[in-house]
Amino acid sequence: MSQQVDNIKPSYPLFRDDEYKEMLAKKRDGFEEKHSQEKIDEVFQWTTTLEYQELNFQREALTVNPAKACQPLGSVLCALGFENTMPYVHGSQGCVAYFRTYFNRHFKEPISCVSDSMTEDAAVFGGQQNMKDGLQNCRETYKPDMIAVSTTCMAEVIGDDLNAFINNTKKDGYIPDEYPVPFAHTPSFVGSHVTGWDNMFEGIARYFTLKDMDSKVVGSNKKVNVVPGFETYLGNFRVIKRMMSEMGVDYSFLSDPEEVLDTPADGHFRMYSGGTTQEEMKDAPNAITTLLLQPWQLEKTKKLVEGTWKQEVPKLSIPMGLDWTDEFLMKVSEVSGRPIPESLTKERGRLVDMMTDSHTWMHGKKFALWGDPDFVMGMAKFLLELGAEPTHILANNGNKRWKKALDAILAESPYGQNCTVYIGKDLWHMRSLVFTNKPDFMIGNSYGKFIQRDTLHKGKEFEVPLIRLGFPIFDRHHLHRQTTLGYEGAMQMLTTIVNAILERLDEETRGMQTTDYNYDLVR
């Protein structure tokens, strides 16, 4: 039972060697006290039934694979979007290790983030001293121009006051009084990662603009602000910038982690790279308007922009698909006075051509879908444009107003009549749904692979393939560099979805002299 230096195997296929199979079987028989295989199979089959689904949907005290993450994760991503900024979490080391690892697995990049290592004594007496030492060490060791502070469960349960703690840290001389330390309270036990992003952005925007509003004049810098929200497709930053540049619109991207999350391998480590500058943030109230790319997750940001910056926030949906990208570009043209250029008109025409080419294969295909509210709504709208039929839509962190809005969109289309929208539900609920009302495909993050595995275990005819779109994508490489926004994003999503359909068709029709009557070379 040893590896050979010239033929080192990973766990698969190593554990399929006879010696490992024998060892694992002995471990199961001797230590696991497992039920009989017949009982396991019986319970598995029962979990695929309507009877079990009814019990599953009555579940209240347990969440299984929630399809969301906690607030500080979002606050860290927001802070990474600012120039020379270190995200700082007031909490334990374990929490920050989770945030760094989560993003590292998705972006395949090192993620800079620190904590002040709260332990049992801080949980009893409060974390003021942790913050004093932590902020001082962070500034002196990593030399950021700004430290953006958020909280975890521990700090929120004991009631630590970030504003007071930061002011005391400065008062006692641990860091200079003028040193920027914006903050946000981000309790993990309410909201989700998108809430945390919104809270952190509002905290940074408030820090740099609230006390200096007397000198601000809406429209005086002739720019348009763009706020992305919790966005993990780096191509989306690039496509929005490209469209704004092609229109000749002067803009400020507020929170832009594109560079720091996609640094080149050229022998130079970049702890900080790119990002929104402090000057851009200070100047943001002087813009013509602020566009929220994911408005359902940016409620605090919207309130600050309208109430403090006194800007009118256009009512827009996430610019996904054809219709909502049209809407976005027309609004940019309206507020900036710049026409939509021929290059974008041609790009739109190419998307329409692609949609026409693929309509035969998209029409009538049924999809289950989950993710964050704005992404899910944009994807559902795009599927309807393609003639596809959403059947189950789930957003654990969606609210009742969001559900009502999505229900109205579905009701307007003949392809949305048989779809049900779920909020506050998790992926174990989704598992029940795809067993009892089978779609053709699922669209969601990497965690859906376990649902696909379970459907396949019941039998090939029950399998529901997963199309990986959303966050996080852990088990495939480089998808985080792709695009879901704008015409370009619609083209990429359509390519991904329709080719998954065609791949499935090939898989089902490659039986020689049985199903290969439809194993065509031209699709």
Side-chain angles (χ1 to χ4, degrees):
M1 192 175 68
S2 61
Q3 292 270 31
Q4 301 298 318
V5 69
D6 57 347
N7 184 27
I8 296 177
K9 300 178 182 178
S11 58
Y12 178 82
L14 178 65
F15 288 174
R16 301 310 299 161
D17 289 353
D18 289 340
E19 56 184 335
Y20 277 95
K21 288 197 288 186
E22 180 181 354
M23 180 188 70
L24 293 172
K26 288 180 179 179
K27 181 180 178 183
R28 282 194 298 267
D29 295 339
F31 299 100
E32 290 186 3
E33 300 181 3
K34 60 178 266 187
H35 289 281
S36 67
Q37 191 60 45
E38 291 76 15
K39 183 63 175 179
I40 293 172
D41 292 340
E42 177 189 342
V43 172
F44 174 85
Q45 293 297 330
W46 177 61
T47 65
T48 70
T49 64
L50 276 170
E51 177 191 10
Y52 179 81
Q53 179 180 309
E54 291 177 4
L55 293 172
N56 190 14
F57 272 74
Q58 294 172 22
R59 173 165 48 92
E60 295 180 357
L62 174 69
T63 297
V64 183
N65 217 337
K68 67 174 183 179
C70 61
Q71 281 205 51
L73 185 85
S75 70
V76 168
L77 182 64
C78 179
L80 287 169
F82 289 86
E83 184 182 54
N84 297 332
T85 296
M86 179 62 74
Y88 178 111
V89 180
H90 183 51
S92 70
Q93 288 182 337
C95 291
V96 173
Y98 156 63
F99 306 144
R100 286 196 299 253
T101 302
Y102 211 79
F103 284 134
N104 174 263
R105 291 156 67 196
H106 178 81
F107 292 110
K108 307 295 187 286
E109 290 283 340
I111 303 298
S112 298
C113 180
V114 301
S115 80
D116 48 21
S117 304
M118 292 176 66
T119 53
E120 291 85 348
D121 58 341
V124 175
F125 301 109
Q128 173 69 88
Q129 190 59 45
N130 293 72
M131 179 158 287
K132 289 179 178 179
D133 294 336
L135 288 175
Q136 182 182 49
N137 290 340
C138 177
R139 179 172 176 271
E140 292 179 356
T141 303
Y142 302 112
K143 297 177 174 51
D145 293 338
M146 176 170 77
I147 300 174
V149 180
S150 54
T151 55
T152 62
C153 296
M154 182 193 299
E156 290 296 332
V157 168
I158 64 179
D160 282 357
D161 184 339
L162 289 185
N163 185 51
F165 279 18
I166 293 168
N167 286 336
N168 289 339
T169 301
K170 291 182 174 182
K171 179 181 177 182
D172 292 345
Y174 286 85
I175 56 175
D177 187 61
E178 69 278 4
Y179 186 74
V181 187
F183 66 88
H185 284 274
T186 53
S188 302
F189 41 79
V190 295
S192 70
H193 54 288
V194 301
T195 319
W197 198 102
D198 186 31
N199 285 340
M200 189 74 255
F201 183 84
E202 191 260 354
I204 294 173
R206 183 181 63 243
Y207 181 91
F208 284 108
T209 64
L210 185 62
K211 295 181 180 179
D212 193 30
M213 287 305 301
D214 290 344
S215 63
K216 310 300 182 185
V217 178
V218 174
S220 59
N221 69 8
K222 296 181 173 54
K223 288 186 175 183
V224 173
N225 295 328
V226 180
V227 180
F230 187 93
E231 177 57 72
T232 57
Y233 279 96
L234 301 181
N236 286 343
F237 295 93
R238 292 160 183 160
V239 75
I240 295 297
K241 293 175 185 177
R242 176 177 64 80
M243 291 193 299
M244 300 290 273
S245 295
E246 288 187 27
M247 292 182 69
V249 176
D250 199 4
Y251 64 92
S252 292
F253 224 112
L254 305 183
S255 184
D256 179 9
E258 176 204 334
E259 287 191 31
V260 76
L261 295 176
D262 197 17
T263 58
D266 56 5
H268 299 284
F269 171 65
R270 297 166 176 82
M271 180 169 288
Y272 314 108
S273 184
T276 303
T277 67
Q278 294 181 26
E279 290 306 313
E280 285 178 299
M281 196 71 251
K282 293 174 183 177
D283 189 42
N286 291 320
I288 301 167
T289 189
T290 298
L291 304 177
L292 308 181
L293 298 186
Q294 300 189 73
W296 284 102
Q297 62 170 259
L298 294 171
E299 294 184 356
K300 274 195 170 182
T301 298
K302 182 175 185 290
K303 184 177 180 180
L304 179 134
V305 171
E306 292 181 333
T308 301
W309 295 0
K310 304 303 180 183
Q311 295 175 6
E312 182 178 348
V313 177
K315 185 175 176 56
L316 292 170
S317 300
I318 185 171
M320 288 177 68
L322 183 68
D323 188 23
W324 286 353
T325 300
D326 289 349
E327 183 182 80
F328 174 79
L329 292 177
M330 287 189 289
K331 179 56 68 173
V332 172
S333 177
E334 176 188 328
V335 299
S336 67
R338 307 291 298 184
I340 299 173
E342 181 66 18
S343 60
L344 292 179
T345 302
K346 284 185 176 180
E347 188 175 335
R348 182 188 191 276
R350 294 186 183 107
L351 171 59
V352 173
D353 184 55
M354 290 177 64
M355 293 168 68
T356 305
D357 292 342
S358 300
H359 181 264
T360 303
W361 301 106
M362 294 297 307
H363 178 75
K365 288 293 184 293
K366 295 179 171 56
F367 292 87
L369 169 64
W370 69 86
D372 294 328
D374 289 284
F375 171 81
V376 164
M377 185 174 282
M379 180 60 70
K381 181 71 161 64
F382 186 47
L383 289 174
L384 296 176
E385 291 175 342
L386 296 170
E389 299 180 17
T391 56
H392 317 297
I393 295 179
L394 185 152
N396 187 300
N397 46 358
N399 58 33
K400 292 180 180 179
R401 291 186 298 106
W402 174 84
K403 181 181 184 303
K404 183 178 180 181
L406 182 51
D407 281 336
I409 292 169
L410 294 165
E412 292 175 353
S413 170
Y415 307 115
Q417 302 303 305
N418 298 314
C419 183
T420 305
V421 179
Y422 300 90
I423 57 175
K425 302 301 181 184
D426 56 43
L427 292 189
W428 195 253
H429 294 110
M430 179 61 78
R431 179 184 181 274
S432 283
L433 293 170
V434 300
F435 270 121
T436 57
N437 183 13
K438 179 182 178 296
D440 297 304
F441 296 88
M442 300 178 290
I443 296 177
N445 60 29
S446 288
Y447 290 106
K449 71 186 298 179
F450 299 106
I451 302 177
Q452 179 176 353
R453 178 200 60 187
D454 286 7
T455 58
L456 175 61
H457 183 72
K458 186 172 183 177
K460 186 65 177 178
E461 68 274 23
F462 296 98
E463 183 183 13
V464 183
L466 171 66
I467 300 173
R468 288 165 175 79
L469 287 165
F471 172 82
I473 305 296
F474 289 152
D475 61 333
R476 297 292 185 270
H477 281 215
H478 313 306
L479 298 186
H480 66 278
R481 291 186 174 89
Q482 293 190 341
T483 306
T484 62
L485 300 186
Y487 303 130
E488 180 183 336
M491 292 177 189
Q492 289 192 18
M493 290 192 298
L494 174 56
T495 301
T496 298
I497 295 170
V498 73
N499 284 326
I501 293 171
L502 296 176
E503 178 62 34
R504 183 67 171 179
L505 179 60
D506 280 352
E507 182 181 338
E508 293 175 344
T509 60
R510 61 170 62 110
M512 191 173 291
Q513 297 185 344
T514 55
T515 59
D516 59 347
Y517 54 84
N518 200 27
Y519 197 62
D520 298 326
L521 188 61
V522 178
R523 297 294 193 188

